[in-house]
Amino acid sequence: MATELFSTYSYLLDRTARKVKQYAQRRFNAENYDITVDQWLIIKNLNNTNDLNQSQLADITGKDHPTFTRIIDLLCKKGLTERKIQPNDRRCFLIHLTNLGKQRVLEWSPKMAEIRMKAWQNLTEKDYKNLKRILDTIYMNLDEHEKFINEL
Amino acid sequence: MATELFSTYSYLLDRTARKVKQYAQRRFNAENYDITVDQWLIIKNLNNTNDLNQSQLADITGKDHPTFTRIIDLLCKKGLTERKIQPNDRRCFLIHLTNLGKQRVLEWSPKMAEIRMKAWQNLTEKDYKNLKRILDTIYMNLDEHEKFINEL
DNA sequence: TTTATATATTTGTCATACTAACAATAAGTA
DNA sequence: TACTTATTGTTAGTATGACAAATATATAAA
């Protein structure tokens, strides 16, 4: 593999991930959608699987638990989600998408899909499969937990 | 293209980029290398092309200017770089890798290469070329400046 | 029942990403 | 020269990411 700095996958990955997030955020802002890319990821996911607790949702969306707490704080402040107490386990909350939250997901989804497709111009279904395979392989190569599981 | 959260390239990209950075940082910390991944990227690059000004270096390493200012502040505090005044243009500094900086690049490079290869297990040269092509395509699709250039 | 351990969430700290506003300097122009 | 515009870099504010530590509650063990 080439060892030149700018040929390294880590630089390319970081740069591209940032570009995608940055582009999406600018499009959100241009439409006056008062939400960040990471916040969107979460409410979009809540629309599919509502009423999970924070830990589960954090894991699903790939966020650190402290980071997740803070993002939910902001979503609650915006009225898009709420924390529901569970009487049978008072350690955890269920994160619930409010009616406003559901409305926003419906309202904003088409634009989000359009933005997502924009990045994929000139690429094929096969490219997607390859990308997914390569990224998943890298992820697994570095994931301590998965490595442990595989050794069992 | 699939629309599920876990099948979106943006999620995969973000997740993988973070995993790579996180893994590298943990390995740095384990070796007591007092440096972050982003700081390393910059001194590694300075070792090839020393004495550029901040704007040029920020562009090369893909950082925005405010972020770059802060990273250079930290690198200078650690004695790895220094800002040199240019008499003919007093707006900008040349960023200079100190002797300690050069020493650290030499000292740490082998471990960094090892860490980089770790993520690439089970992948081929062809995978690398594909990944690079796909990521570059996504980047170009979203890059306003390049788009403008291409239209000329 | 008391103690120990595990789970869920929060708080604090540092680093980075991005935006906006600002200061200093340089370069172009009337 | 004086005015305007562009460039370079900094600072401040908000959001996120990673990690360590604290808090509250639940569960298991002695």
Side-chain angles (χ1 to χ4, degrees):
Chain A
M1 202 177 95
T3 51
E4 245 177 80
L5 177 67
F6 299 109
S7 303
T8 59
Y9 64 87
S10 56
Y11 171 79
L12 292 173
L13 262 177
D14 191 59
R15 173 180 109 126
T16 311
R18 269 188 291 122
K19 177 64 81 179
V20 167
K21 190 179 276 192
Q22 182 191 50
Y23 177 80
Q25 189 64 58
R26 283 183 182 168
R27 294 288 301 268
F28 291 9
N29 295 345
E31 300 287 333
N32 288 311
Y33 295 176
D34 178 26
I35 196 161
T36 68
V37 173
D38 298 281
Q39 289 163 17
W40 170 255
L41 175 76
I42 290 170
I43 66 168
K44 175 75 182 171
N45 190 250
L46 271 171
N47 199 47
N48 301 330
T49 53
N50 212 348
D51 291 321
L52 294 177
N53 71 30
Q54 290 198 193
S55 277
Q56 296 167 319
L57 259 174
D59 292 343
I60 288 175
T61 53
K63 301 289 179 194
D64 198 46
H65 292 193
T67 300
F68 197 82
T69 291
R70 284 169 182 136
I71 296 178
I72 292 297
D73 283 347
L74 292 171
L75 284 173
C76 287
K77 206 179 285 177
K78 286 175 181 170
L80 301 175
T81 62
E82 54 195 9
R83 289 184 168 94
K84 291 201 301 191
I85 292 172
Q86 260 192 311
N88 53 325
D89 187 344
R90 300 196 317 185
R91 288 173 303 181
C92 57
F93 306 103
L94 295 185
I95 306 301
H96 180 75
L97 195 61
T98 62
N99 285 332
L100 179 61
K102 283 177 192 166
Q103 190 187 314
R104 290 290 182 252
V105 171
L106 272 176
E107 188 184 334
W108 292 342
S109 280
K111 178 63 68 180
M112 302 305 186
E114 179 198 320
I115 292 172
R116 192 172 63 237
M117 293 315 292
K118 169 75 176 162
W120 206 255
Q121 290 173 330
N122 309 314
L123 293 169
T124 66
E125 184 81 22
K126 191 180 163 197
D127 287 330
Y128 176 71
K129 282 180 185 155
N130 256 319
L131 178 65
K132 177 163 170 55
R133 175 182 58 80
I134 296 169
L135 294 183
D136 285 344
T137 302
I138 292 174
Y139 189 91
M140 296 292 271
N141 283 342
L142 303 182
D143 198 66
E144 305 298 332
H145 176 64
E146 294 297 335
K147 229 171 43 187
F148 177 70
I149 296 288
N150 290 340
E151 279 164 5
L152 293 178
Chain B
M1 204 174 91
T3 53
E4 259 173 70
L5 177 67
F6 303 108
S7 304
T8 59
Y9 66 86
S10 56
Y11 172 80
L12 292 173
L13 261 178
D14 190 60
R15 174 179 108 126
T16 311
R18 272 189 289 120
K19 176 65 82 179
V20 167
K21 190 177 276 193
Q22 183 192 45
Y23 176 80
Q25 190 63 59
R26 283 181 182 171
R27 295 288 300 269
F28 290 9
N29 295 345
E31 299 286 334
N32 288 312
Y33 295 176
D34 178 26
I35 197 162
T36 68
V37 173
D38 297 281
Q39 289 164 17
W40 170 255
L41 174 76
I42 289 170
I43 66 168
K44 174 76 181 169
N45 191 251
L46 271 171
N47 198 48
N48 301 330
T49 54
N50 212 347
D51 292 321
L52 295 176
N53 71 30
Q54 291 198 194
S55 277
Q56 297 167 317
L57 258 175
D59 291 343
I60 289 174
T61 53
K63 303 289 178 194
D64 57 86
H65 294 195
T67 299
F68 199 82
T69 291
R70 280 179 177 138
I71 295 179
I72 292 297
D73 283 347
L74 292 171
L75 284 173
C76 288
K77 207 178 284 177
K78 287 175 182 172
L80 300 175
T81 62
E82 54 194 10
R83 289 183 169 95
K84 291 202 300 192
I85 293 172
Q86 258 193 314
N88 53 325
D89 188 343
R90 301 197 317 186
R91 287 172 305 179
C92 57
F93 305 105
L94 296 186
I95 306 301
H96 180 73
L97 194 61
T98 63
N99 285 331
L100 178 63
K102 283 176 192 165
Q103 190 186 314
R104 290 289 183 253
V105 171
L106 272 175
E107 188 184 333
W108 293 342
S109 280
K111 179 63 69 180
M112 302 304 187
E114 179 197 321
I115 292 170
R116 191 172 62 236
M117 293 314 292
K118 168 76 176 161
W120 207 257
Q121 290 173 330
N122 309 314
L123 294 169
T124 67
E125 184 84 19
K126 192 180 162 196
D127 287 331
Y128 176 71
K129 282 180 184 156
N130 256 320
L131 177 64
K132 178 165 167 53
R133 176 182 57 81
I134 294 169
L135 294 183
D136 284 345
T137 302
I138 292 174
Y139 190 90
M140 296 292 273
N141 283 342
L142 304 181
D143 198 66
E144 304 298 332
H145 176 63
E146 294 297 335
K147 231 171 45 188
F148 176 70
I149 296 287
N150 290 340
E151 279 165 4
L152 292 179

